[in-house]
Amino acid sequence: MSLVRSFCKIMERIAPLRLAEKWDNVGLILEAPYVRPQANKVLLTTDLTPAVVEEALTSPTVFIVTYHPPIFKPLSSLTLSVPLQASLLRCAAAGISVYTPHSALDSVTDGINDWLCTKVAGPLREINWTARFVGQEFPDGLGGQGRIVTLKQPIELGQLATTIRTELELKEVHVAYAKPEKEHTMISTIGICAGSGGSMLLGVDADVYFTGEMSHHEVLASMQSGHNVILCGHTNTERGYLPWLKKDIEEFIQEEVAQPTDPAEAEVLKGLEVVVSTRDEYPLAIV
């Protein structure tokens, strides 16, 4: 049984690819022509940057799970002169395969959007809240598109922004107030979308939109329609989930090894070590 195929089956159990958006490119992005010998690490990252690839090459990494797909559109060539293409070629040459869950991981139950739901309470976890979906709900309890959190007890927008900033361990977040009376802005409903949430959240009935980024005009449209906005930076709404993903992968591997549905598959998964990249970081600095 191929290690690549066995690991892909683990990822499919965590975030079924059928949940991904139609425009997305998910799944096995790069299958190396051979499995790197004497390598047992699975490296988790938000983006496949040259720094992350170097980290993989200088450690016994055999698989990279990158949240964002390194290939979105068809390529007319693969050359070393293009940094991202060079990264993929270096991985292939070293026997490292690359997998992307992206929007499937956003939507699935206990995925990134559900993780973001837990960040709106922070230290005030005694606040009761419920969540529903912004868009389509998938059958069998698998999840749905976006989230809307309804608080049983309203909180002030500034307090919510501070809580989110603290929970995501950020130095700052950007807040757009729909009304000039900033100190009196109370929040009961929160629309949530990881990454770039403008296209999903615009028009949604919620007091505030909580996402990574929106375009200038999307922010203005939100404010003018009476919706407040909290922006944290695109990957700042995604990177913090990687330790949760690490735990999920480890648990599924342990389950397969302990009670194998396929002994050959369990054998190739045994001994894998899942690690979160130390070189994956937000690309913008505050100066």
Side-chain angles (χ1 to χ4, degrees):
M1 174 65 69
S2 160
L3 171 62
V4 172
R5 297 299 168 185
S6 297
F7 186 77
C8 286
K9 288 175 70 174
I10 292 291
M11 291 303 302
E12 174 68 16
R13 291 174 66 187
I14 293 171
L17 297 181
R18 65 184 181 277
L19 306 186
E21 300 291 335
K22 292 180 179 179
W23 47 261
D24 209 354
N25 187 29
V26 294
L28 184 61
I29 300 295
L30 171 68
E31 183 174 5
Y34 69 98
V35 175
R36 191 179 188 187
Q38 298 181 322
N40 70 329
K41 289 187 183 294
V42 176
L43 185 65
L44 309 184
T45 182
T46 308
D47 292 290
L48 190 71
T49 62
V52 170
V53 171
E54 195 63 35
E55 179 183 13
L57 293 172
T58 55
S59 64
T61 296
V62 68
F63 222 108
I64 297 174
V65 176
T66 173
Y67 168 73
H68 287 130
I71 300 174
F72 252 124
K73 299 178 180 179
L75 299 175
S76 58
S77 63
L78 273 171
T79 70
L80 295 173
S81 62
V82 179
L84 182 55
Q85 295 175 14
S87 291
L88 291 168
L89 289 169
R90 293 181 74 195
C91 286
I96 300 172
S97 297
V98 179
Y99 187 97
T100 293
H102 202 206
S103 57
L105 195 59
D106 292 345
S107 295
V108 73
T109 299
D110 294 328
I112 293 184
N113 283 327
D114 279 338
W115 170 74
L116 288 174
C117 287
T118 69
K119 300 304 174 184
V120 303
L124 303 177
R125 296 195 189 281
E126 69 275 10
I127 292 179
N128 293 321
W129 56 273
T130 58
R132 63 186 193 278
F133 303 109
V134 168
Q136 177 187 3
E137 180 177 356
F138 303 123
D140 303 320
L142 285 176
Q145 296 173 318
R147 299 293 186 271
I148 300 175
V149 167
T150 299
L151 303 175
K152 301 289 181 62
Q153 176 185 346
I155 59 175
E156 198 271 324
L157 178 56
Q159 180 187 0
L160 175 62
T162 298
T163 296
I164 290 172
R165 185 191 68 206
T166 301
E167 286 291 299
L168 294 181
E169 300 181 9
L170 304 176
K171 294 181 179 179
E172 65 175 15
V173 296
H174 294 171
V175 180
Y177 290 84
K179 297 180 180 179
E181 303 84 8
K182 298 179 181 180
E183 66 274 14
H184 300 301
T185 301
M186 301 302 295
I187 301 298
S188 295
T189 52
I190 306 164
I192 296 176
C193 178
S196 182
S199 60
M200 181 170 290
L201 294 176
L202 278 178
V204 169
D205 185 15
D207 297 330
V208 62
Y209 298 152
F210 164 31
T211 186
E213 66 180 356
M214 285 182 168
S215 73
H216 171 73
H217 296 289
E218 288 170 339
V219 172
L220 290 181
S222 300
M223 296 171 64
Q224 291 163 9
S225 61
H227 301 95
N228 305 283
V229 177
I230 298 176
L231 302 180
C232 303
H234 189 114
T235 59
N236 288 333
T237 58
E238 302 159 341
R239 185 171 293 103
Y241 179 78
L242 294 180
W244 285 42
L245 178 59
K246 174 181 184 294
K247 184 171 180 283
D248 280 348
I249 294 173
E250 289 171 339
E251 289 178 352
F252 275 100
I253 289 176
Q254 289 169 6
E255 178 184 316
E256 181 59 33
V257 170
Q259 298 178 319
T261 55
D262 183 331
E265 195 166 281
E267 187 61 31
V268 298
L269 292 171
K270 188 187 302 181
L272 284 182
E273 179 185 355
V274 186
V275 297
V276 176
S277 171
T278 60
R279 301 294 302 277
D280 174 46
E281 58 186 12
Y282 189 62
L284 301 176
I286 300 171
V287 297

